[in-house]
């Protein structure tokens, strides 16, 4: 069997362009899908996929580790977020092809099923464009959270913390404290709450100030309390707060996750399987986390291929905790994609279809072509005009 071509399909989803990668083989009807969505870097990722094609076309798609090595080692330069996103999507498509060729769900190739269902969480109102509520009106914010839970979720991730620099003003701290307590009172103790700082605090001290006022509501974790990449600072922060921490969506290599494990810097890691090397990279990272006694809560606010890949990974990963999902992000989600994500009482069911069980209606996808995305990060300014971390 040989790979004959690699093509891409771009679908505009307002805040991001979903980038899907299709790997075609010389076997009639046998192809695989991967997802290379990287917010606001669409054209760069498309170029990286094209650059990597020379290492892949003509190879046997079932030699996944071999092809992964060709893409990463022959590239010579460190691939970074753009290159690793392209690698990840191609890698995912190879797993899809191999599972289809063997006539099994992809999770069978990852060691087999280790759980009966996969716990998931979503964002406020499933992160639907135009449906978000700011933090200023606490009552309206809590109404939206309650509405989200009533969609069938028992876990939700929220943004409590404002754009921050090297200071946590007392009025902001008091408001975040009141907001967090109001959300907990509204949803009760049976709903898991997570909060994403997005690395907004510019120092561990600012992060600690906000974590201290949120910790009493017992969040499942606080995500990216500081910018990623400094495992020592994260570990120091973890030892000074009474709350589990998580990070990893902006880390790409096993070495970076090994540093977190070495310092036991967080309770949970959050690799994104569309950025960290696909399933080939994700499996190595999960093993590192398990050795470091850390849970794994994969990042995924993207399209259906990334969701399906994560579902199969979660079904076969022993130290999995909870999965981020974005099914229904746009109203025409199910018009373009057939996918295996089925929500039942806060969990996804384990799929039994071949490969990832996802297919894209390319004709329908063409109705939503590439457009320059809306970039909400442009709003990230402090009161004096300083650019903040989004």
């Amino acid at each position: 069997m040989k790979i004959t071509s690699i093509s891409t399909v771009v679908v505009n989803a307002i805040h991001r362009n979903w980038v899907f990668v299709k790997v075609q083989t010389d076997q009639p009807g046998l192809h695989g899908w991967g997802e290379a969505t990287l917010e606001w870097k669409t054209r760069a990722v498309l170029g990286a996929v094209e650059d990597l094609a020379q290492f892949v076309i003509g190879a046997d798609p079932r030699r996944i580790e071999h092809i992964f090595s060709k893409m990463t080692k022959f590239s010579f330069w460190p691939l970074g977020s753009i290159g690793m996103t392209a690698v990840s999507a191609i890698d995912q498509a190879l797993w899809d092809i191999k599972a289809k060729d063997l006539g099994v769900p992809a999770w069978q190739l990852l060691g087999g099923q280790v759980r009966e269902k996969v716990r998931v969480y979503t964002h406020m109102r499933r992160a639907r464009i135009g449906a978000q509520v700011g933090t200023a009106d606490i009552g309206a914010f809590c109404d939206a959270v309650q509405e989200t839970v009533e969609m069938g979720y028992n876990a939700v991730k929220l943004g409590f913390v404002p754009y921050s620099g090297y200071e946590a003003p007392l009025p902001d701290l008091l408001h975040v404290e009141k907001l967090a307590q109001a959300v907990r009172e509204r949803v009760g103790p049976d709903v898991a709450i997570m909060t994403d700082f997005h690395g907004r605090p510019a120092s561990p001290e600012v992060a600690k100030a906000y974590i201290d006022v949120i910790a009493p509501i017992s969040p499942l974790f606080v995500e990216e309390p500081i910018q990623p990449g400094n495992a020592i600072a994260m570990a120091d922060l973890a030892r000074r707060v009474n709350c589990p921490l998580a990070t990893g969506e902006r880390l790409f290599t096993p070495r970076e996750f090994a540093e977190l494990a070495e310092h036991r810097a967080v309770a949970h890691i959050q690799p994104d399987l569309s950025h960290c090397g696909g399933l080939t990279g994700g499996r190595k990272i999960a093993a590192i986390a398990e050795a470091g006694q850390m849970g794994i809560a994969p990042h995924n606010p993207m399209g259906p291929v990334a969701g399906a890949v994560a579902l199969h990974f979660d079904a076969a990963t022993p130290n999995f905790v909870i999965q981020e999902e974005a099914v229904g992000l746009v109203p025409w989600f199910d018009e373009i994609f057939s996918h295996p994500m089925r929500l039942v009482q806060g969990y996804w069911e384990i799929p039994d279809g071949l490969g990832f069980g996802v297919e894209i209606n390319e004709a329908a996808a063409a109705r939503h072509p590439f457009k320059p995305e809306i970039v909400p990060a442009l709003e990230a300014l402090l009161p004096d005009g300083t650019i903040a971390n989004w």
Side-chain angles (χ1 to χ4, degrees):
M1 188 191 306
K2 301 295 183 184
I3 295 171
T4 57
S5 67
I6 298 177
S7 59
T8 53
V9 175
V10 178
V11 176
N12 179 257
I14 314 301
H15 285 316
R16 54 176 60 83
N17 283 294
W18 289 327
V19 179
F20 305 111
V21 175
K22 186 178 185 180
V23 176
Q24 188 72 54
T25 76
D26 59 3
Q27 304 298 305
L30 182 56
H31 60 267
W33 286 105
E35 183 164 347
T37 301
L38 185 64
E39 293 85 348
W40 322 318
K41 305 290 187 295
T42 300
R43 286 162 286 202
V45 170
L46 294 175
V49 171
E50 185 176 353
D51 288 340
L52 290 170
Q54 63 183 310
F55 304 137
V56 178
I57 292 175
D60 184 337
R62 297 166 296 190
R63 298 183 64 186
I64 298 174
E65 188 74 45
H66 177 72
I67 293 173
F68 185 88
S69 293
K70 288 178 70 176
M71 291 190 291
T72 54
K73 293 180 180 178
F74 285 174
S75 293
F76 181 67
W77 297 102
L79 289 167
S81 61
I82 292 167
M84 283 301 295
T85 297
V87 167
S88 299
I90 294 171
D91 178 84
Q92 292 169 1
L94 300 181
W95 285 92
D96 193 25
I97 290 168
K98 187 165 187 175
K100 290 174 180 175
D101 182 54
L102 293 173
V104 297
W107 52 258
Q108 286 283 20
L109 304 186
L110 303 175
Q113 183 179 342
V114 299
R115 55 184 42 84
E116 300 303 317
K117 52 188 178 180
V118 169
R119 192 182 188 192
V120 299
Y121 71 88
T122 192
H123 301 258
M124 180 184 288
R125 291 176 170 167
R126 283 184 158 181
R128 292 197 314 271
I129 305 302
Q132 301 308 294
V133 176
T135 59
D137 187 333
I138 292 178
F141 190 93
C142 290
D143 288 344
V145 175
Q146 181 177 345
E147 178 185 331
T148 306
V149 172
E150 290 171 354
M151 292 177 180
Y153 296 92
N154 57 31
V156 61
K157 187 166 74 179
L158 305 166
F160 291 143
V161 173
Y163 299 127
S164 305
Y166 291 91
E167 177 189 9
L170 182 58
D172 289 347
L173 286 172
L174 294 175
H175 183 77
V176 169
E177 180 179 38
K178 185 177 179 181
L179 177 65
Q181 290 175 347
V183 169
R184 173 56 75 198
E185 290 171 4
R186 177 67 68 91
V187 302
D190 296 329
V191 174
I193 298 171
M194 292 143 281
T195 181
D196 188 352
F197 280 27
H198 257 205
R200 289 178 175 182
S203 70
E205 289 71 27
V206 171
K208 181 180 183 302
Y210 282 113
I211 292 171
D212 285 348
V213 299
I214 294 171
I217 74 166
S218 299
L220 180 58
F221 57 73
V222 168
E223 178 177 334
E224 278 199 338
I226 58 175
Q227 286 288 305
N230 189 337
I232 293 175
M234 187 73 81
D236 176 66
L237 176 62
R239 285 155 181 70
R240 293 193 290 132
V241 297
N242 187 29
C243 180
L245 305 184
T247 196
E249 71 179 78
R250 289 188 278 175
L251 304 177
F252 311 109
T253 66
R255 177 67 254 169
E256 291 170 298
F257 286 94
E259 290 176 358
L260 293 176
E262 287 164 3
H263 296 284
R264 196 38 169 75
V266 293
H268 308 295
I269 60 164
Q270 300 174 289
D272 190 310
L273 299 171
S274 286
H275 306 317
C276 73
L279 289 176
T280 299
R283 295 172 74 206
K284 297 172 184 177
I285 291 166
I288 290 169
E290 187 176 22
Q293 297 181 308
M294 299 188 299
I296 186 165
H299 176 260
N300 170 44
M302 301 179 299
V305 178
V309 170
L311 170 55
H312 285 265
F313 175 82
D314 303 340
T317 300
N319 54 329
F320 165 78
V321 177
I322 195 167
Q323 176 64 55
E324 180 178 19
E325 64 106 289
V327 174
L329 179 66
V330 289
W332 35 263
F333 194 94
D334 290 321
E335 297 174 16
I336 298 179
F337 315 107
S338 59
H339 60 82
M341 285 83 80
R342 302 289 178 262
L343 182 69
V344 179
Q345 296 181 337
Y347 292 82
W348 278 345
E349 297 178 323
I350 305 296
D352 57 9
L354 303 186
F356 296 136
V358 66
E359 195 56 61
I360 298 174
N361 182 331
E362 295 184 55
R367 295 196 290 268
H368 303 277
F370 169 86
K371 293 180 182 178
E373 306 97 319
I374 295 173
V375 183
L378 297 177
E379 304 169 359
L381 299 172
L382 299 182
D384 65 357
T386 300
I387 294 175
N389 290 312
W390 178 60

